[in-house]
Structure formats: structure tokens, C-alpha cells
């Protein structure tokens, strides 16, 4: 079996970080694509020169030609524009939809067997559009959202209880917008549910509520701090975790924006749910039991995603 091939569409901050992580982990050879001439080639050359220092062996090339992604095992899409302070992710819909069309067509023509992970915002709508434009099977196109949102939730919980983040397990349902649903009941510190820790007096309901709110606004908090763009280290790490799950047939259960087709009473859209990722792509949507509050929260989030899909269809009639 030859070396794996990882194609990264978009050579911005996330694309560059993805390339570094993929090379450091020796996931395979990396092709960094961008429409801007020189940038992917320059970043690829710089990153290739990390290899002799860091001791990794990965061939990293930059390109402006979709033909070079041919045969990719995994494609991670970050192409498009990031938001700036004062913008919501949804403000990017018009511009990034056009980018997804070009990317989807490039994938369809050159790498129809790849497992595709979308990171471009507004995430749930862009992964749906990318799937439509590429024509790939739904289980081979997935959005990175819940892994990132849960990582933020876990970090805040670890800080609150002053414990190692390794012992914290949290998860977030729904769309990757401010209506996402951090599920406190299913969040644990070494198996102990967070609500039980609150009952033990180790935190308060108010503090947990504040953490839920901060998780929902986690992307915006970083956008406001950076001033020029959005988060990139944790989004890249999230995409890599999903790629590893696929490449290594790890059968990991990760919260991702996946295509739901009847599960959770939802049909025909991408939204954040726990899924099992292995060599078959999204092998299963895991249906957890939700209480009434979580169900209501998920519905609000799903309604927001549906509005975005209607907007996509309005902007590009081929999506109708
Ligand atoms: C994030 O959550 O960091 C990304 O979706 C970028 C953003 O605009 O918030």
C-alpha cells in the first residue's frame, strides 16, 4: 500500500497549520492548494524545510491546479473567507458559497473517492453545499464543528474544576453557530457527570451556565481578540483528528456536522451530531437520548441551519 495523500484546499492560516500537523504526524504526503499563486508553493517549501529539523518525512507540495489533488485519500477544505470582528459566520454565506462551488467541482473531477472534511463557514451550510457540488456520497463528506466546539467546552470545564483536560469529555450538538447545544448532562470529568460535580459543590449552576454561553460564543471570542481573522490552531487540530479517525479506521465517536436522514427526527440536512468515523467514512450516526430542553435547543439550531440552506438555494439555483 502506497503512502496516503492529504489534499488541503485553502492555504491560509488553517491550511498551513493543517499541513504542519499532517506532516508532523506523518499522515501521508500533503498537497496544499490555493487559487492565489505563490502562496501554497511558498508555504509548502517553508514547511518542507521543517522536516529536517523536526524529523518528519512527508512530501509537501503547493499547487494552484486541482489536477494535483487527484487520488487524495483525505481532503480538508478551508478555502474561503474568515469573519472579522462584528461579523457573524452567516455573513460569509454569499462569498463562501461561490468558493464551495469551485472546490466541489474540483473534487468531483479529480478526487471523487476522497473523504472530505469541510471547515469553511458558515459550516453546516457550506458542508451541505460542498456535498451537493461535489456529488460525493453523504457519508464521505462531513463538517468539522462539534470536535472544535467540544474542545472549547472541555477546556473551559477543565479550567473550572482545575483538572487535567485529559479527564474531561464533553460534547456539543447542533449547528456551528451561536445556537449550538453544549450538552451538560453528557459531559463528564473522568466519567463523573458535570451536574453531579455541581451537586457535590465543586462548581455552581451559574458557573456552568456561563461556560455553556462562552462555548457558544467561543469562535467569536477569538475573532474579537485577533482582530484580523478567526481561530486556526484548534480548528486545524479538529480536522486532523477526523482525518486520523478515517485513515486509521479508528471507529471514533466524534461530534461532527453529518448528513442526517431520519435520525433525531431530522431529514436532509447537515447538523452536528455524534457520529462513528472509520474507514467507511461516517459509518453511523449515533442517536443519543435527549431531554426536552436539549431537544428544544437542537430544534432552534436546526431551524437556523435550515434558514441558511434556503439562502444558499436562493443564491445558487442549481442547489434548488
Ligand atoms: C471558530 O469557531 O473558531 C470558527 O468557526 C471561526 C469563526 O468564525 O468563529
Amino acid at each position: 500500500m502506497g503512502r496516503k495523500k492529504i489534499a488541503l484546499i485553502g492555504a491560509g492560516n488553517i491550511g498551513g497549520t493543517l499541513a504542519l500537523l499532517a506532516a508532523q504526524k506523518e499522515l501521508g504526503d500533503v498537497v496544499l492548494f490555493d487559487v492565489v499563486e505563490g502562496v501554497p508553493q511558498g508555504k509548502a517549501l517553508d514547511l518542507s524545510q521543517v522536516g529536517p529539523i523536526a524529523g518528519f518525512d512527508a512530501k509537501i507540495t503547493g499547487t494552484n491546479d486541482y489536477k494535483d489533488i487527484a487520488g487524495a485519500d483525505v481532503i480538508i477544505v478551508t478555502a474561503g473567507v474568515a469573519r472579522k470582528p462584528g461579523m457573524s459566520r452567516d455573513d460569509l454565506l454569499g462569498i463562501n458559497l461561490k468558493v464551495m462551488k469551485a472546490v466541489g467541482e474540483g473534487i468531483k473531477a479529480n478526487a471523487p473517492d476522497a473523504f472530505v472534511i469541510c471547515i469553511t463557514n458558515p459550516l453546516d451550510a457550506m458542508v451541505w453545499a460542498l456535498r451537493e457540488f461535489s456529488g460525493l456520497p453523504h457519508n464521505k463528506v462531513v463538517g468539522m464543528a462539534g470536535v472544535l466546539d467540544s474542545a472549547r467546552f472541555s477546556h473551559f470545564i477543565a479550567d473550572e474544576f482545575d483538572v487535567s483536560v485529559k479527564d474531561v469529555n464533553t460534547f456539543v450538538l447542533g449547528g456551528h453557530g451561536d445556537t449550538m447545544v453544549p450538552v451538560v448532562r453528557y459531559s463528564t470529568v473522568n466519567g463523573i457527570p458535570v451536574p453531579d460535580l455541581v451537586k457535590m459543590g465543586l462548581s455552581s449552576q451559574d458557573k456552568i451556565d456561563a461556560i455553556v454561553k462562552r462555548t457558544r460564543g467561543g469562535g467569536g471570542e477569538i475573532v474579537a481578540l485577533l482582530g484580523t481573522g478567526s481561530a486556526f490552531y484548534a480548528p486545524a487540530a479538529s480536522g486532523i483528528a477526523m482525518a486520523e479517525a478515517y485513515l486509521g479506521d479508528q471507529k471514533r465517536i466524534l461530534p461532527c456536522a453529518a448528513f442526517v436522514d431520519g435520525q433525531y427526527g431530522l431529514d436532509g440536512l447537515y447538523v452536528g451530531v455524534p457520529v462513528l468515523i472509520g474507514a467507511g467514512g461516517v459509518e453511523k450516526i449515533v442517536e443519543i437520548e435527549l431531554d426536552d430542553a436539549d431537544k428544544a435547543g437542537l430544534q432552534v439550531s436546526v431551524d437556523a441551519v435550515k434558514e441558511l440552506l434556503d439562502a444558499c438555494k436562493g443564491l445558487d439555483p442549481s442547489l434548488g
Side-chain angles (χ1 to χ4, degrees):
M1 208 169 59
R3 283 155 76 121
K4 297 290 182 193
K5 180 168 173 178
I6 324 293
L8 308 172
I9 311 294
N13 282 337
I14 310 182
T17 311
L18 282 167
L20 180 60
L21 291 174
Q24 278 177 328
K25 287 172 172 271
E26 296 191 343
L27 296 188
D29 292 331
V30 176
V31 176
L32 189 56
F33 171 97
D34 203 289
V35 289
V36 182
E37 285 180 21
V39 170
Q41 290 85 351
K43 288 201 177 183
L45 190 57
D46 185 11
L47 285 161
S48 300
Q49 294 165 5
V50 178
I53 306 163
F56 61 69
D57 176 16
K59 189 162 181 260
I60 309 170
T61 48
T63 183
N64 309 111
D65 188 346
Y66 274 110
K67 288 202 181 77
D68 292 328
I69 71 168
D73 297 286
V74 169
I75 298 177
I76 308 182
V77 178
T78 61
V81 175
R83 64 175 160 152
K84 308 261 181 331
M87 294 171 77
S88 87
R89 295 181 182 92
D90 299 356
D91 294 334
L92 305 172
L93 187 123
I95 186 156
N96 284 350
L97 182 64
K98 288 190 197 126
V99 177
M100 289 307 100
K101 186 167 193 153
V103 175
E105 288 168 358
I107 292 172
K108 182 182 197 160
N110 296 287
D113 296 325
F115 180 58
V116 179
I117 300 164
C118 180
I119 298 187
T120 302
N121 274 318
L123 196 271
D124 308 274
M126 292 304 97
V127 64
W128 174 83
L130 187 63
R131 208 303 307 170
E132 294 290 313
F133 291 132
S134 68
L136 267 60
H138 286 104
N139 65 317
K140 297 292 285 294
V141 183
V142 66
M144 179 290 308
V147 178
L148 170 63
D149 300 325
S150 306
R152 287 184 174 140
F153 194 15
S154 292
H155 164 67
F156 297 142
I157 289 286
D159 253 13
E160 169 59 16
F161 291 103
D162 198 16
V163 295
S164 165
V165 78
K166 285 186 184 170
D167 291 333
V168 178
N169 216 308
T170 68
F171 107 98
V172 178
L173 268 179
H176 183 55
D178 298 347
T179 57
M180 69 180 72
V181 189
V183 189
V184 178
R185 252 172 359 111
Y186 284 111
S187 299
T188 62
V189 177
N190 208 357
I192 309 166
V194 167
D196 290 3
L197 293 166
V198 171
K199 275 188 214 142
M200 291 149 115
L202 298 177
S203 181
S204 67
Q205 191 55 48
D206 284 354
K207 284 188 176 159
I208 301 301
D209 289 347
I211 286 175
V212 165
K213 191 164 173 234
R214 190 172 178 198
T215 301
R216 285 200 173 116
E221 182 177 354
I222 292 176
V223 169
L225 288 166
L226 294 179
T228 52
S230 53
F232 50 97
Y233 295 117
S238 306
I240 291 291
M242 293 163 69
E244 281 184 292
Y246 172 74
L247 290 169
D249 192 20
Q250 288 176 345
K251 313 284 186 205
R252 288 202 66 193
I253 294 184
L254 297 170
C256 300
F259 189 74
V260 283
D261 192 16
Q263 300 91 349
Y264 292 97
L266 303 170
D267 257 335
L269 82 164
Y270 274 84
V271 72
V273 288
V275 301
L276 191 145
I277 297 186
V282 173
E283 295 185 358
K284 192 179 174 169
I285 306 254
V286 180
E287 273 192 276
I288 54 165
E289 213 182 287
L290 298 178
D291 66 14
D292 287 345
D294 294 336
K295 274 188 203 154
L298 181 61
Q299 191 56 52
V300 171
S301 198
V302 163
D303 289 344
V305 173
K306 280 185 177 161
E307 252 181 60
L308 289 180
L309 298 190
D310 287 343
C312 287
K313 290 173 192 165
L315 287 167
D316 188 324
S318 74
L319 289 169

